[in-house]
Amino acid sequence: MPQSGFKLVRWKVWGLRVLAVVLALLIFLIARQPTSEVRVVGVSVEYINIPAGLELTGDIPQTVSVRLRGPRDVVRGLPPTQLAVEADLRDKVAGERNVQLQTSDMNLPTNVQVVRVEPVSLRLKLEPTLRKKIKVEAPATPADEGFEVTHIVIEPEMIEVEGPASIVANVASLKTESISLKGRRQNFVETLEVEYPHNGLRLVSSNKVKVSVALAARSNKDNQNNQSNEVKMKR
């Protein structure tokens, strides 16, 4: 091997030794730091193993607080986004249930431990999932003067939704985006999105429907009646 090759290998070996010494020194300094206890707020809650056919409803906590103990600079520098606790709903049934929060899978730095989670458990409500077909309606703005809507056809006229039983059971109809009739003089077809009245609802199929609108010119008699009604209202 050329002399330059020996020098390169030797420098690499020395570089690795220096790096090892630096790492060992850092670990030593961290270990020598005074132990501190810190309360980290805004730690995410992950809901796992929700039984099939059940839904979480009501006020569902998204974050909790975690109290950590470890080297001062380490625990003070941990952001909430790096932590998470789990609420395991395995084998739970419908109704209000107490669920213990778990930290066993939390990925923490060396020498850092969880003192406690605040709160230690959550009171949660589980409801059966309900699936139902609901009628779709398409609201429209007023037609221009001299025109009227003769009929509106929505395809499909009913769509299937699912969600918590208490929410789905109280939904009688769903509405599309409003149809603008301004400037319209003839029949037209639009594809519109169905709007959700509640975040707990989920569409089983597509959230779009085809809306066909038929317009016709008002007869002179209708226009005269409308004008007569407007005069009476002004009086």
Side-chain angles (χ1 to χ4, degrees):
M1 180 183 293
Q3 188 68 22
S4 59
F6 281 115
K7 289 182 179 180
L8 181 60
V9 172
R10 188 166 57 187
W11 276 110
K12 286 184 177 179
V13 172
W14 274 104
L16 291 174
R17 289 177 178 175
V18 170
L19 180 60
V21 171
V22 171
L23 291 176
L25 181 60
L26 288 174
I27 294 173
F28 174 77
L29 291 175
I30 291 174
R32 294 281 294 176
Q33 285 182 5
T35 300
S36 182
E37 195 170 294
V38 172
R39 181 172 176 262
V40 182
V41 299
V43 177
S44 297
V45 180
E46 296 179 357
Y47 295 93
I48 62 174
N49 298 321
I50 299 176
L54 291 181
E55 308 263 344
L56 273 174
T57 61
D59 185 14
I60 306 172
Q62 300 300 316
T63 62
V64 293
S65 299
V66 174
R67 191 168 290 277
L68 303 175
R69 180 185 294 128
R72 181 187 58 201
D73 291 349
V74 175
V75 292
R76 289 182 179 178
L78 282 175
T81 53
Q82 188 176 326
L83 309 172
V85 298
E86 292 182 346
D88 192 344
L89 302 174
R90 188 192 312 271
D91 299 328
K92 296 295 183 182
V93 296
E96 292 191 0
R97 301 285 176 254
N98 280 323
V99 180
Q100 299 292 319
L101 296 178
Q102 303 176 359
T103 61
S104 56
D105 293 333
M106 190 177 290
N107 187 21
L108 294 173
T110 306
N111 298 327
V112 175
Q113 62 181 0
V114 177
V115 178
R116 64 178 174 274
V117 180
E118 302 168 346
V120 296
S121 65
L122 298 175
R123 186 72 171 171
L124 303 171
K125 184 178 181 181
L126 287 164
E127 284 190 35
T129 301
L130 177 63
R131 184 174 288 194
K132 174 183 173 183
K133 285 189 175 182
I134 299 178
K135 182 181 179 181
V136 180
E137 297 177 351
T141 62
D144 288 349
E145 185 177 355
F147 289 84
E148 63 180 348
V149 176
T150 57
H151 67 269
I152 296 177
V153 177
I154 302 173
E155 299 179 83
E157 61 180 355
M158 300 189 76
I159 60 174
E160 195 168 22
V161 301
E162 68 176 13
S166 62
I167 296 175
V168 176
N170 291 322
V171 179
S173 64
L174 296 173
K175 297 184 183 299
T176 67
E177 307 165 88
S178 180
I179 305 170
S180 176
L181 299 181
K182 185 177 182 180
R184 297 284 191 176
R185 296 290 186 275
Q186 57 187 4
N187 301 346
F188 65 94
V189 177
E190 282 190 358
T191 299
L192 300 174
E193 290 189 359
V194 177
E195 297 180 342
Y196 297 87
H198 194 285
N199 290 334
L201 286 181
R202 300 184 300 276
L203 287 181
V204 176
S205 55
S206 172
N207 69 329
K208 295 183 179 181
V209 295
K210 184 172 73 172
V211 180
S212 303
V213 181
L215 292 168
R218 291 180 182 273
S219 64
N220 290 332
K221 184 177 180 181
D222 289 337
N223 288 332
Q224 289 172 0
N225 289 337
N226 288 339
Q227 291 173 359
S228 176
N229 291 332
E230 290 178 1
V231 171
K232 290 180 181 179
M233 290 178 64
K234 289 179 181 179
R235 290 179 180 175

